[in-house]
Amino acid sequence: MSIFARNFGERVFKIVRIFGNDLRKYTPFSEINAVNRNNVTTLNLRYNPLRNYQSSITSYKVTHSEQNDFFLKSSSLFLSAGILSFFGLEKDDEKESELITTIKRGVLLTQKEEFKKAEQMFHLALKLAQEQQNYDGITFIYDMLANLAYDQEEYQKAEKLFVSVIQRLLSTGVSTTDNKVIHISLKLANIYKIQKDFRKAEEGFKFCKNHLQASVESGKKDEDTVLLWAMALDGYARFLVDAARLPEAFICFQKAYDLCVEINGEENEEIVVLLNDLGTICFIQNDLDKAVSFLKQAIAIGNKLPDMKDFSSVLLNLGTVYMKKGMVEEAKQFYEAAWKNAKRHKNSGVLKEVSSCMDELHHTKTG
């Protein structure tokens, strides 16, 4: 028997619109303005608002007492205009245009998942930035390379690059509790979790969670900070699930849910995902009635979101809970709904899982 739980941050935020196309972006820097200091162009980087706390759903096997890992992929923050405007440059700025064009090409290659070519392009951009003594531009490209390494599961390389980005930010006077640093620190915490350095991972998650909570409670209640706090709570919750500290994980997921509702309301994909998480925790703890309640709430919202590609996983989950409760007809109803939804969205993973579950249901009926 299996239940699906979503993979936070694959990618964490919705796809951005940049130079006229929808594509994924990886950096915590949203606005970059060119400043001329002593005839050397440098870049001022601004943190990008976290407008959507977005997730997807992935397979999560559960037996009576064990579950597989949740996996946190590199989160992405939104850039809402073209690269030129980020750099505060006009199209006729010849010195900078080659750098900007090269970064654009790297981003587009990343969108196409041609990661090796994208890495080569970013290294060309890095060389240009170094030649121009463009300190903030170098930092920007390091961050792009770090996330690229993360997405290819080259965690040691990603760790070194992320640490370099933080060091460079701190050297310019950015605080250790600045949202830019917190965002990168969350990625580092997850890298430590993947590397099984659980002490450093927990320290990292708690550092981020606690500082963001303190910021909000002291009056910094802008959307960026509140949603980044939700992101930190979500990451820490998955760490706690891995450590079998389920009551603590439930509290963190619940708080992340509350924060997201506060900022974005209820009728959106991230709320469906978090309700699915809460139902998953209840399922693992064998609190099946609560699991049904959370999953029904998720489905009521998801039914209003026809473009949610992973909604079939939530339907499948409720069917699985009903099977555990011995409610075979109800299970069949949601398995069939999951099949239809997965087929419409061409979700082969869910289709395979539904087939397995339907076989189990058939054996239950005939056995």
Side-chain angles (χ1 to χ4, degrees):
M1 184 176 295
S2 63
I3 192 163
F4 274 54
R6 66 96 176 92
N7 179 342
F8 175 75
E10 167 105 354
R11 314 221 185 235
V12 177
F13 303 96
K14 284 200 173 184
I15 297 172
V16 291
R17 279 183 170 78
I18 185 169
F19 30 92
N21 296 308
D22 282 346
L23 58 103
R24 292 179 175 123
K25 200 66 170 158
Y26 302 98
T27 175
F29 309 120
S30 68
E31 185 175 321
I32 310 175
N33 299 307
V35 178
N36 193 293
R37 298 190 182 102
N38 299 322
N39 296 317
V40 176
T41 302
T42 59
L43 304 176
N44 287 339
L45 279 66
R46 277 186 60 191
Y47 188 64
N48 185 61
L50 295 118
R51 295 302 176 202
N52 292 294
Y53 167 84
Q54 188 60 42
S55 313
S56 63
I57 299 172
T58 191
S59 178
Y60 178 65
K61 298 287 185 180
V62 176
T63 61
H64 294 295
S65 61
E66 61 186 2
Q67 68 276 349
N68 288 347
D69 293 340
F70 288 103
F71 297 99
L72 176 66
K73 294 293 183 183
S74 70
S75 53
S76 30
L77 299 178
F78 290 168
L79 302 178
S80 57
I83 288 286
L84 284 172
S85 64
F86 298 154
F87 280 78
L89 299 168
E90 300 298 330
K91 291 184 179 180
D92 60 357
D93 191 320
E94 294 180 2
K95 180 178 180 181
E96 295 289 349
S97 65
E98 186 179 0
L99 171 60
I100 294 164
T101 300
T102 305
I103 292 173
K104 281 186 181 183
R105 288 171 179 163
V107 172
L108 289 171
L109 286 166
T110 303
Q111 179 200 16
K112 296 175 183 177
E113 298 186 354
E114 296 181 28
F115 296 128
K116 293 302 180 184
K117 290 182 180 179
E119 184 176 4
Q120 292 171 0
M121 195 61 64
F122 285 132
H123 276 291
L124 287 176
L126 182 61
K127 185 175 183 292
L128 289 170
Q130 289 169 337
E131 289 172 353
Q132 295 172 15
Q133 301 179 52
N134 195 325
Y135 188 89
D136 289 342
I138 294 168
T139 305
F140 180 91
I141 296 164
Y142 276 178
D143 188 71
M144 300 291 286
L145 286 167
N147 283 284
L148 200 57
Y150 194 104
D151 280 350
Q152 295 177 89
E153 300 182 0
E154 297 174 351
Y155 297 119
Q156 190 171 5
K157 182 195 292 188
E159 177 190 0
K160 290 178 180 178
L161 286 164
F162 280 135
V163 169
S164 293
V165 172
I166 289 177
Q167 289 172 341
R168 293 175 68 85
L169 289 171
L170 297 179
S171 73
T172 63
V174 175
S175 167
T176 57
T177 58
D178 185 280
N179 282 359
K180 292 188 292 291
V181 176
I182 294 288
H183 179 242
I184 297 169
S185 297
L186 275 174
K187 297 177 187 179
L188 283 169
N190 194 67
I191 287 174
Y192 297 139
K193 186 183 90 166
I194 292 168
Q195 294 174 338
K196 301 190 183 303
D197 190 339
F198 300 122
R199 180 188 61 80
K200 287 176 73 173
E202 182 160 19
E203 286 176 355
F205 284 124
K206 291 176 75 172
F207 167 83
C208 297
K209 175 181 71 74
N210 293 341
H211 277 290
L212 289 163
Q213 180 177 355
S215 292
V216 173
E217 290 178 349
S218 67
K220 189 180 179 183
K221 296 184 178 180
D222 58 281
E223 291 185 15
D224 304 355
T225 303
V226 172
L227 289 175
L228 191 57
W229 182 18
M231 181 176 165
L233 285 162
D234 183 284
Y236 188 43
R238 281 173 291 99
F239 172 86
L240 293 169
V241 169
D242 290 343
R245 292 156 60 181
L246 299 182
E248 294 174 78
F250 184 89
I251 291 169
C252 288
F253 277 134
Q254 182 71 64
K255 184 61 178 177
Y257 166 84
D258 292 340
L259 292 172
C260 286
V261 170
E262 177 185 335
I263 297 299
N264 291 330
E266 287 192 336
E267 292 188 7
N268 50 69
E269 293 185 17
E270 59 266 25
I271 295 303
V272 175
V273 166
L274 284 165
L275 287 167
N276 183 75
D277 286 337
L278 290 164
T280 300
I281 295 292
C282 293
F283 179 90
I284 298 169
Q285 294 180 305
N286 207 35
D287 191 343
L288 302 184
D289 289 337
K290 275 192 176 180
V292 168
S293 177
F294 282 120
L295 291 169
K296 278 187 171 181
Q297 290 179 65
I299 288 169
I301 297 169
N303 282 331
K304 302 175 185 178
L305 304 171
D307 295 330
M308 185 174 180
K309 293 182 179 180
D310 295 313
F311 181 54
S312 55
S313 300
V314 186
L315 295 164
L316 175 57
N317 282 351
L318 184 54
T320 298
V321 177
Y322 277 134
M323 274 295 289
K324 185 77 177 288
K325 287 171 69 70
M327 301 170 66
V328 177
E329 290 305 316
E330 288 83 353
K332 182 183 178 192
Q333 174 190 343
F334 284 97
Y335 286 157
E336 289 175 347
W339 174 271
K340 290 178 183 178
N341 189 278
K343 191 170 183 179
R344 180 162 65 88
H345 289 292
K346 299 179 180 179
N347 192 328
S348 59
V350 175
L351 288 172
K352 182 178 179 181
E353 192 65 28
V354 173
S355 295
S356 175
C357 291
M358 289 295 284
D359 287 343
E360 181 182 344
L361 186 148
H362 177 73
H363 291 313
T364 299
K365 278 188 168 184
T366 57

